[in-house]
Each structure stands twice: as structure tokens, then as C-alpha cells.
Amino acid sequence: MTKDCGHHNQDRQQLLRRVFAAILAFILLVLLVIFLIWIILRPTKPRFVLQDATVYAFNLSSSGAIPSPTAPTPNTLTLTMQVTLSAFNPNHRIGVYYTKLDAYASYRGQQVSLATALPPTYQGHRDTAVWSPFLYGTAVPVSPFILEILRQDKTSGGVLVNVKVNGRVKWKVGTWVSGRYHINVNCPAYIRLAGDDEDAIGVASPAVKFQIFQSCIVDV
């Protein structure tokens, strides 16, 4: 009786080991197939281009007063602009899902507009997608450092604004869709400044359109 029980336990342990080995081998096989598909297809990140920017307002106003703990910072920036962004998918066998994208304007590392959501888009093989979002920032408080830099930029005649896009993408190969990947896009845009008043720097209506066609830095 004892021998039968010991033999039964050994058979059960062997069966469990075989089941575990089979499951492990299946998982490794799936991972190997995914890895081989990834290596063979080698997805390339999309190429973004900032085509143009129409500036309706880019004005920094300063009251010249010294800010106090009970009063808001007197230096504020108002921005209204529309940009045209294009994205090209250079892959021959891989599609791109843009599941979530937000565009905004930045100056000297400070966000100076609200984030504008871009519509979700699927991009086929070697296809191009185009967006034309409006970017708004009304009386955005800026630091005294930004005020001084803007005054220097006014002397040089132009300002470098960065149009940024942050979001998530998925890769599509046949019927297989990958998980989500973060995408960060940085597009520099050089805008000419005007204005003789020391406390009012920028451009105002009528709108000014700048043809840029500037390649963007893309990180995925």
C-alpha cells in the first residue's frame, strides 16, 4: 500500500512538471515569434514636420510693477496660433494607431498654451496624416526670466517657440496590435516679433502666417 502511494505521487509530480514545461515552452515560443516579427519588420518611428504656423497673437505684457504676495505676477503672455503638423509613416508593413495626442506651445521650457487634443488617427503603410490644431494661451503668467529673454528676442527680431505633441501610439502588423507606446514630438518654430512699446512685445492681428517646413524631433 505504501509503495503504491509513493509511486502515485511520483507520477503526479512528473505530470505536473511536464504540464509546467509545456506551458513554459509555449510562452517562450510566443515571445520568440513576437521577437522575430519585430526584428524582421523593424518598425521605424513616424516622421513629423511642422509645415506652417499662423500667429494671431503673441503678446507679452508687463505692468512694470513689483509683484507682491497678495497680487498676481504682472508679466503675462497671450498666445493664439494655428499650426499645421504632418506625420509620415515610413514603414512598408506596419500601421500606426495614434490613440491619444495632445499639442501645445512651449517657450524656453515653459508651457504657454493649453493642450489641444488631436483626433485619434490610424495611419497605414507609408501614409501621411495631417492635423491643424489651434493653440490658445490667455494671460499665462511668466517669470521675470522669461520677460527678460523675450526682450532680448525682440532686439534680435524673432522668437523660437516649440510646438510639442505628447501622446500614445500602437503598432499594427496584420491583425496583431501592440501595446501602447509613449510618443514625444518637438517642433521648433521661429516667429518674427514686432512692437515698439517696451511693455508690449509680440505680434498681433492681422494674422501672420509663417511657412516653416521644419522637421521635428520624435521619441518613441
Side-chain angles (χ1 to χ4, degrees):
M1 184 71 178
T2 305
K3 291 183 179 180
D4 291 340
C5 291
H7 182 70
H8 179 71
N9 289 335
Q10 289 179 357
D11 291 343
R12 184 177 180 182
Q13 290 176 359
Q14 290 180 357
L15 178 61
L16 291 176
R17 282 196 294 266
R18 289 175 182 174
V19 171
F20 177 76
I23 294 174
L24 181 61
F26 176 75
I27 293 175
L28 291 176
L29 180 61
V30 171
L31 293 176
L32 178 62
V33 170
I34 294 175
F35 176 74
L36 290 176
I37 292 175
W38 188 265
I39 291 296
I40 293 172
L41 297 176
R42 285 180 297 181
T44 303
K45 58 189 177 183
R47 300 170 188 167
F48 277 72
V49 173
L50 178 61
Q51 297 184 357
D52 58 60
T54 302
V55 181
Y56 298 89
F58 188 96
N59 297 291
L60 186 140
S61 298
S62 172
S63 65
I66 300 176
S68 65
T70 59
T73 305
N75 306 321
T76 59
L77 178 65
T78 295
L79 167 72
T80 302
M81 63 188 299
Q82 183 182 21
V83 298
T84 301
L85 287 162
S86 65
F88 174 68
N89 176 15
N91 297 285
H92 291 272
R93 301 180 182 88
I94 302 175
V96 183
Y97 279 111
Y98 299 96
T99 58
K100 176 178 171 56
L101 293 177
D102 291 317
Y104 64 92
S106 173
Y107 176 72
R108 299 285 180 170
Q110 178 177 343
Q111 183 173 337
V112 292
S113 79
L114 297 173
T116 300
L118 306 182
T121 304
Y122 172 71
Q123 196 172 39
H125 314 151
R126 300 191 63 79
D127 193 10
T128 300
V130 179
W131 301 276
S132 296
F134 278 89
L135 307 179
Y136 301 96
T138 303
V140 179
V142 295
S143 66
F145 167 77
I146 297 295
L147 173 64
E148 183 60 30
I149 295 298
L150 264 175
R151 284 174 172 163
Q152 295 176 12
D153 287 341
K154 177 189 175 183
T155 303
S156 64
V159 59
L160 183 64
V161 177
N162 293 89
V163 177
K164 297 187 176 183
V165 179
N166 296 330
R168 296 181 178 89
V169 297
K170 293 181 178 181
W171 308 106
K172 183 177 183 295
V173 182
T175 58
W176 177 79
V177 179
S178 74
R180 293 183 298 181
Y181 290 81
H182 288 278
I183 183 171
N184 298 297
V185 183
N186 187 356
C187 308
Y190 185 78
I191 297 173
R192 292 191 302 274
L193 293 177
D196 298 326
D197 187 352
E198 188 71 14
D199 294 332
I201 306 172
V203 298
S205 57
V208 181
K209 186 172 185 177
F210 301 93
Q211 298 292 340
I212 299 174
F213 291 101
Q214 173 66 51
S215 297
C216 307
I217 300 172
V218 181
D219 291 321
V220 180

